[in-house]
Amino acid sequence: FPTSTYIKLWADTQRELDTMLQREREEFLQPQEDGDKVMKMLATAYVQYLEIFRNLEAAHDHLLHQQKRAAVRQALDGVIGRILEIKKEMVALEKSECHHMDGILMDLKRVPEDIEIPIPKYFIKENLRILREREEYLHEILLNAGLLEQEAVRAMTLEEGIKVIQVAERARQGRARAAFMKRIYLEEKRQSRKEEPEMGRNPDDAATCIQKVWRGYSQRKKTEKLREEEMIFLGMNSTEMINGTGSLPLDLEAMSTLQKANVLQDEAQEREDLSFRQELRKTEGPHIKKTLQDQITQCFLECRHITGRFPDYPPEKSGGSRAIFIEKHPEQVAEELAAKKEAEQGDEENRKDKEKAKMKKPEKAGKQVVDLSWKMGPSNFLSILEEGSSQYQVFWENRDNRSDFLQDHDPELIKGGEREEVEEEIRVQQVDEVMQEKLLKIKKAVDGETGPQGKAKKGEKVRAAMMSLACRTIDSLYQELAEEGLLIKVQNVNLSDYIGYYDCLRNILRETGAQPTPSIPEVRQLVALYGILPLGSQTIHENAPLVKSLLLAGPAGVGKKMLVHAICTETGANLFNLTPSNLAGKYPGREGLMMMLHMILKVGKELQPSVVWIRDTEKMYCKGAPKGEEEMNFKSLAELLPQFLKALKPKDRVLLVGTTSRPFDASLGPFCKAYQKIILIPKPDYLTRFGKYFKSSLWLHYILQGGGALTKLVNLNCLAQVSDGFTQGHIVDVVHTVLTELRLLQMARKPLRTAEFVTSLARHNPVYKEEEEMFQ
C-alpha cells in the first residue's frame, strides 16, 4: 500500500485513542461497586486497546518519515503499557490469569483472533545490526571453544570435478555459438534491407496509424477517469488523493514505496547521519553560552539581595548549574531556605518523639470502615498517551505532506530535539567552570570569602558488590560465560510457531465456576504480556507493572523450551542457561555461584535485554535435606536467587524464566515465592491436533515441514483421535521417526499411510489423567 494509506490509518487510530482517553477520564476514575460491571468495562477497554495497538504497529512498521515514526512509537509504547496495566487490574479482580471474553467479543463484533497479542517488529529492526554482530561473535566463541560442530566440507572427487568442468565448458561453447549465429542473422538481415528498393509510406496508411494511436490514448484516459469515479463511489479512494490536497501524488507515492526497503534496512545508520549538532554549535552556540551566563549571574545577584551573601555554586553531583535554572522567584528561594533551617531544627525533636512513641503501647484502634468499591489505580502511561496526542494535534494533524517529497525527515524537528542536548553540553563543558571561577572571585572581592561556606555533606555509602569484577571488560565476561556453556545460542523460533487454537468448551466450563487449564492461545498471550512486551521496550519496562520472574509449568514435551527461545527471538535477548545439570562442575561452592550470578547480572544489564533460564527448576527446591555436593549447589543457588531478583531494577530488562515438568516435587512455599507469574501449559486439544477448518494443525504442519506429502491414505482425523493425551513433543518425535531420508525417497511409489504414524506413536507414553490432575 502507498504511504498515504498508513498516514490515514495513523490519523484514524489517533482519533480512536483520543476517544478511549476521554472515556477513561469519565468512567475509570469513578468508584464502582459492581464487580461484573467493572470486569466488563476493563475487558472492553482491553480489547479496544489491542485493536489500537495492532493499527499503530502497522503504521509504525510501514511509515518512512523518522519524526512520524517517533511520534507513532511514543503512542505505541503508551498503548502497550496501558494494556499491561489493565491486565493487572483484571487479574487482581478475578484472581485468575485467564478471562472469559466471549460476551465482550460478541458485543464488539470481534473474533477470538482479535485478542491475540501482536509483537512489534521494531523490537528487532531498531537493533538489527547490533544483534547480527553479537550473534556472529557468539558463534565464533562457541566454535573456538568446541561447543559447536562445524559443518564438514566434503572434498570433491576427480570424477565430480571433471563433470563440473565439462558442464561449464559446454555451456560456454553453447553461448559462444549462439552469439556467432546471432551476428550472422543480423548481417543477413542488413544485406536484405539494402537490396530492397526504398518506397515511401502511403498517406492513407499514415493517417490510419495516427488515428489508431490517438484513439487508444483518448480511450485510456476516459477509462482511467471512469475507474477513479467508481472507486470514489465505492469508498475505496478519496477525492483528496485525486485532487492532490491531502497526500502525495501517485508517482511520488510509488517513489517512496520503492525507497522503503533501503530506508528500513539502514534506519539506524540514517539516524546517526541526520544530526545537526555541529551546525547548532556553530550558529547558536555563542548565543546559548551568553544567555546561560546572564541567567546564572542574575540568580546570584537575586540570592545575595535576599540572603545578604552570594550562594555556593551547586556541586557537580547535584547537577551543577542545572539546579539554578529551576523557574523560581526570589521569594520562593527565601522560603525554601527558611524551611530547610526549620527542618534541621525539627529533626532532633522528631527523633525524640519517635523514641517516646516506641516506648508507649499502641492503643486499640476502633472499627474502621472498609471501602469495598473498586477504583482504577494510578497509571504511568496515561500522561505519555496524552502528551503524544497533544503533539500529534500540534505537529501532524493538519500538516501538508505535498511539499515533503521524500517523506524522510523534518530538519526543524530534529534541530528542536537536539537543541536541548547542545545546550546541556555547552552548560557542562563551558559555562559551569567559567561561572564557578567568576563566583569565587566575586565572593573574595565583595564578601571577603575564600571558598564555599558550611560543612560539606558526607558522601553516600556505596553498597559492596557481590564480587569485585570491575577490572574486567564486558567482552571478557561475555566470552567466559559462553565458553562455560552458560550463554547459549538462541534457536530461531517465533511465538506464532507455537500452534494452537481457541476452544469454546473451556469457556462453558468457566461459566459453571470451574477453572480449566489455559488454552494454547491464552498461553501465547500470557507469554507475550509478561515476557516479550516488557523486554522489547525500555519505556514499557520502566513504567509497566514489573515482572522479574516467570515460571512455565507443564508436562514434558508441551513446548516450554520453545517458548523460552521464542521470547529471546522476538526481543533479541541473550539467553543464559542456569539449568542444574548445566552447572555441574562449574563455579563450585557458594562463592563460585555468587561470582557467576554477578557476572550474569553485569553482562545481562549491559547487553540487555537478557533472559536467565533455569530448566528443571524444581530440583533447586526439592523436599528434604541435600544428599550430595551437587544438591548442595542447587540449594545454594535457590538461596541466592532472591538476592539476584532484588538487584534487578525497573531499568534492567532482565527476566528470570523457569521451566518445570514436575512442580509438585518441589517445596511449594519458596518455589512459588521465587516466581511472580506462573503459567500452566496444557497438552494440545483435539482442535489443535486436527485443525480441519484452520490453516494448519500439529499433524499437518509437522508432516509437511518434514518433507512428507499428504494423500487420502493419511487420515488426520484418525491421528488426532489416537494422539489424545500425547504432547507436541511426542508428535514431533513420531514424524521425525517416520519421515527418514530413505522413506522420503520411497514416497513417490509408496505414499504415506496412517498406520505408520500410529505404530510409532504407540511406543510413547501419554500424559495420564492422574498426572494432569496433579498440575491443576
Side-chain angles (χ1 to χ4, degrees):
F1 294 102
T3 308
S4 60
T5 303
Y6 297 100
I7 294 177
K8 186 176 184 301
L9 177 63
W10 177 27
D12 296 340
T13 307
Q14 192 67 44
R15 283 192 289 270
E16 295 177 7
L17 182 58
D18 294 339
T19 305
M20 284 295 300
L21 294 176
Q22 181 63 29
R23 179 190 165 196
E24 286 209 27
R25 297 188 196 99
E26 296 174 356
E27 297 181 3
F28 280 23
L29 298 180
Q30 301 297 327
Q32 301 287 342
E33 296 183 357
D34 188 356
D36 294 337
K37 181 180 178 182
V38 171
M39 188 61 200
K40 183 177 180 181
M41 184 171 62
L42 288 173
T44 303
Y46 178 81
V47 175
Q48 291 176 341
Y49 268 122
L50 277 178
E51 185 178 2
I52 293 173
F53 173 21
R54 195 172 287 106
N55 293 337
L56 286 176
E57 200 280 325
H60 181 270
D61 186 43
H62 291 87
L63 286 176
L64 306 180
H65 199 290
Q66 293 187 17
Q67 283 77 40
K68 289 179 182 178
R69 286 172 60 83
V72 177
R73 167 72 182 275
Q74 181 180 3
L76 186 57
D77 286 346
V79 169
I80 295 174
R82 192 58 183 152
I83 289 173
L84 296 176
E85 290 176 341
I86 293 175
K87 177 67 177 180
K88 180 184 177 183
E89 294 288 339
M90 294 167 65
V91 171
L93 195 64
E94 282 199 336
K95 309 297 181 185
S96 173
E97 296 288 350
C98 304
H99 315 288
H100 173 56
M101 291 190 179
D102 286 0
I104 304 297
L105 293 175
M106 291 180 65
D107 294 341
L108 297 176
K109 298 181 180 179
R110 301 288 189 273
V111 294
E113 285 73 19
D114 288 336
I115 58 175
E116 283 280 355
I117 309 296
I119 308 299
K121 297 181 180 62
Y122 71 83
F123 286 176
I124 298 296
K125 281 187 175 180
E126 291 189 351
N127 304 307
L128 188 59
R129 180 174 55 85
I130 298 174
L131 294 176
R132 285 177 178 171
E133 292 176 356
R134 190 182 302 168
E135 184 179 0
E136 293 174 358
Y137 181 53
L138 178 60
H139 185 76
E140 182 181 352
I141 293 174
L142 296 177
L143 275 179
N144 295 334
L147 298 176
L148 282 183
E149 293 183 2
Q150 193 169 9
E151 296 181 2
V153 179
R154 189 175 64 87
M156 187 179 294
T157 62
L158 180 62
E159 292 78 9
E160 291 175 342
I162 294 174
K163 187 176 180 180
V164 170
I165 295 174
Q166 286 178 345
V167 170
E169 177 61 22
R170 287 168 183 169
R172 186 195 66 79
Q173 292 178 3
R175 289 191 296 271
R177 181 172 178 79
F180 177 69
M181 296 302 295
K182 184 179 180 181
R183 287 196 298 270
I184 293 175
Y185 170 75
L186 293 176
E187 185 65 26
E188 292 178 351
K189 192 173 182 180
R190 281 195 295 270
Q191 292 293 337
S192 62
R193 285 181 179 177
K194 290 180 179 179
E195 295 175 358
E196 293 180 359
E198 296 184 1
M199 296 180 62
R201 179 172 292 224
N202 191 357
D204 295 336
D205 295 338
T208 303
C209 183
I210 294 172
Q211 288 177 356
K212 181 177 67 174
V213 173
W214 168 251
R215 287 175 180 175
Y217 172 78
S218 177
Q219 187 59 42
R220 283 193 297 272
K221 284 292 183 182
K222 291 179 182 178
T223 305
E224 184 179 353
K225 185 176 180 181
L226 291 174
R227 186 182 295 112
E228 289 176 353
E229 292 176 355
E230 182 182 7
M231 298 296 280
I232 294 172
F233 176 74
L234 295 175
M236 299 175 67
N237 202 347
S238 62
T239 55
E240 293 181 354
M241 191 169 180
I242 296 172
N243 298 333
T245 58
S247 304
L248 295 172
L250 292 176
D251 54 343
L252 296 178
E253 292 284 2
M255 183 176 62
S256 296
T257 305
L258 290 175
Q259 294 174 348
K260 177 183 176 181
N262 295 331
V263 171
L264 289 181
Q265 289 176 0
D266 302 331
E267 182 178 352
Q269 185 66 29
E270 285 187 9
R271 289 187 177 182
E272 295 175 0
D273 296 339
L274 292 173
S275 178
F276 297 91
R277 290 187 180 89
Q278 192 65 26
E279 181 181 345
L280 289 173
R281 291 190 194 100
K282 292 181 180 179
T283 57
E284 302 182 14
H287 175 70
I288 292 174
K289 181 179 179 181
K290 186 176 182 303
T291 303
L292 292 176
Q293 291 178 347
D294 293 343
Q295 290 177 357
I296 295 172
T297 304
Q298 182 65 24
C299 180
F300 289 159
L301 295 175
E302 291 177 355
C303 287
R304 188 179 188 282
H305 179 71
I306 295 171
T307 61
R309 57 179 293 275
F310 286 105
D312 295 334
Y313 202 87
E316 187 177 352
K317 293 182 180 179
S318 61
S321 59
R322 187 191 305 165
I324 300 174
F325 297 138
I326 302 174
E327 296 180 0
K328 294 180 180 178
H329 298 289
E331 292 80 5
Q332 293 177 344
V333 176
E335 291 176 1
E336 287 184 359
L337 293 173
K340 286 181 180 179
K341 291 181 180 179
E342 293 178 0
E344 291 175 357
Q345 294 176 359
D347 282 342
E348 296 182 1
E349 297 179 0
N350 291 335
R351 291 174 186 171
K352 294 178 181 179
D353 294 340
K354 288 180 180 179
E355 292 177 358
K356 293 179 180 179
K358 289 180 181 178
M359 300 298 293
K360 293 182 179 180
K361 295 183 178 180
E363 299 180 357
K364 294 183 178 180
K367 293 184 178 180
Q368 297 180 354
V369 179
V370 180
D371 187 9
L372 298 177
S373 61
W374 176 87
K375 190 175 181 181
M376 189 71 178
S379 172
N380 295 329
F381 292 95
L382 285 179
S383 58
I384 297 176
L385 291 173
E386 290 173 354
E387 181 184 355
S389 178
S390 61
Q391 289 182 0
Y392 173 78
Q393 293 173 1
V394 172
F395 292 107
W396 307 110
E397 187 173 18
N398 299 317
R399 190 179 184 87
D400 188 5
N401 295 314
R402 288 177 297 177
S403 60
D404 191 1
F405 295 104
L406 295 179
Q407 285 285 303
D408 184 18
H409 66 278
D410 190 332
E412 294 302 322
L413 289 178
I414 296 178
K415 289 181 181 179
E418 293 180 345
R419 189 172 283 109
E420 296 180 1
E421 300 177 7
V422 173
E423 183 176 338
E424 178 70 13
E425 181 183 335
I426 293 174
R427 182 189 66 77
V428 173
Q429 297 180 0
Q430 302 179 23
V431 176
D432 276 3
E433 185 177 354
V434 173
M435 294 304 297
Q436 195 167 3
E437 293 179 359
K438 184 178 179 181
L439 178 62
L440 290 176
K441 292 179 181 178
I442 293 175
K443 278 186 174 184
K444 187 176 182 180
V446 178
D447 297 335
E449 297 180 7
T450 57
Q453 300 294 320
K455 296 181 180 180
K457 293 184 179 180
K458 295 181 180 180
E460 298 181 356
K461 294 182 179 181
V462 181
R463 293 193 307 172
M466 287 182 285
M467 282 292 166
S468 177
L469 297 172
C471 58
R472 297 187 57 181
T473 62
I474 294 296
D475 290 341
S476 66
L477 296 176
Y478 186 90
Q479 182 175 354
E480 180 179 340
L481 291 172
E483 291 175 349
E484 291 292 339
L486 301 181
L487 180 61
I488 63 176
K489 199 169 183 179
V490 177
Q491 298 176 7
N492 190 16
V493 291
N494 296 316
L495 188 63
S496 57
D497 296 334
Y498 192 63
I499 300 173
Y501 303 103
Y502 288 91
D503 187 2
C504 298
L505 297 178
R506 294 177 184 270
N507 294 324
I508 296 175
L509 292 176
R510 288 194 180 100
E511 292 177 356
T512 62
Q515 285 292 335
T517 56
S519 62
I520 291 180
E522 290 171 336
V523 170
R524 286 199 302 262
Q525 292 178 34
L526 295 175
V527 170
L529 289 171
Y530 296 139
I532 296 176
L533 295 183
L535 283 181
S537 171
Q538 188 70 29
T539 303
I540 298 171
H541 197 274
E542 289 181 358
N543 297 283
L546 185 60
V547 176
K548 297 181 180 180
S549 54
L550 182 67
L551 177 65
L552 305 177
V558 293
K560 301 182 290 295
K561 177 182 175 182
M562 178 182 179
L563 289 174
V564 173
H565 285 272
I567 293 174
C568 299
T569 301
E570 299 286 6
T571 59
N574 303 297
L575 182 57
F576 300 94
N577 185 5
L578 297 189
T579 301
S581 60
N582 191 37
L583 295 178
K586 304 171 185 176
Y587 303 101
R590 184 181 179 87
E591 292 77 11
L593 291 176
M594 290 178 65
M595 185 179 72
M596 177 195 68
L597 288 176
H598 185 52
M599 290 169 61
I600 291 174
L601 192 64
K602 188 173 181 180
V603 175
K605 287 182 177 181
E606 185 68 25
L607 304 178
Q608 55 185 328
S610 299
V611 172
V612 180
W613 175 34
I614 304 179
R615 190 175 184 177
D616 300 329
T617 184
E618 77 279 355
K619 293 182 179 180
M620 298 192 308
Y621 301 92
C622 59
K623 301 173 184 177
K627 298 178 181 179
E629 184 180 354
E630 188 175 347
E631 291 189 7
M632 284 288 294
N633 288 336
F634 298 163
K635 288 283 187 180
S636 300
L637 182 60
E639 294 172 359
L640 293 174
L641 274 184
Q643 301 177 18
F644 177 82
L645 294 173
K646 189 176 180 181
L648 297 178
K649 306 300 179 185
K651 64 179 181 180
D652 304 324
R653 287 186 290 159
V654 180
L655 178 67
L656 174 66
V657 181
T659 58
T660 175
S661 56
R662 299 187 62 84
F664 33 79
D665 290 346
S667 180
L668 294 181
F671 186 56
C672 295
K673 286 182 181 179
Y675 296 98
Q676 288 179 260
K677 297 293 181 180
I678 300 176
I679 302 176
L680 182 61
I681 303 177
K683 62 184 190 310
D685 52 17
Y686 171 79
L687 191 63
T688 300
R689 298 191 304 272
F690 181 38
K692 180 179 179 181
Y693 301 103
F694 299 97
K695 294 180 180 179
S696 179
S697 65
L698 283 179
W699 282 106
L700 177 63
H701 174 75
Y702 290 119
I703 290 174
L704 295 179
Q705 189 181 58
L710 292 177
T711 61
K712 293 182 179 180
L713 298 176
V714 179
N715 191 341
L716 293 178
N717 184 20
C718 176
L719 289 176
Q721 293 283 0
V722 172
S723 58
D724 186 18
F726 292 89
T727 63
Q728 295 96 320
H730 293 147
I731 295 175
V732 172
D733 187 61
V734 167
V735 172
H736 288 172
T737 303
V738 173
L739 297 179
T740 60
E741 186 176 355
L742 178 61
R743 186 66 185 87
L744 292 176
L745 294 174
Q746 297 172 348
M747 197 177 302
R749 57 184 178 82
K750 185 181 177 183
L752 291 172
R753 294 178 178 273
T754 307
E756 297 180 63
F757 297 99
V758 175
T759 304
S760 179
L761 186 66
R763 299 189 183 99
H764 295 81
N765 294 323
V767 179
Y768 294 104
K769 187 176 181 181
E770 293 78 11
E771 183 181 354
E772 193 173 358
E773 289 175 353
M774 293 179 71
F775 279 98
Q776 296 179 355

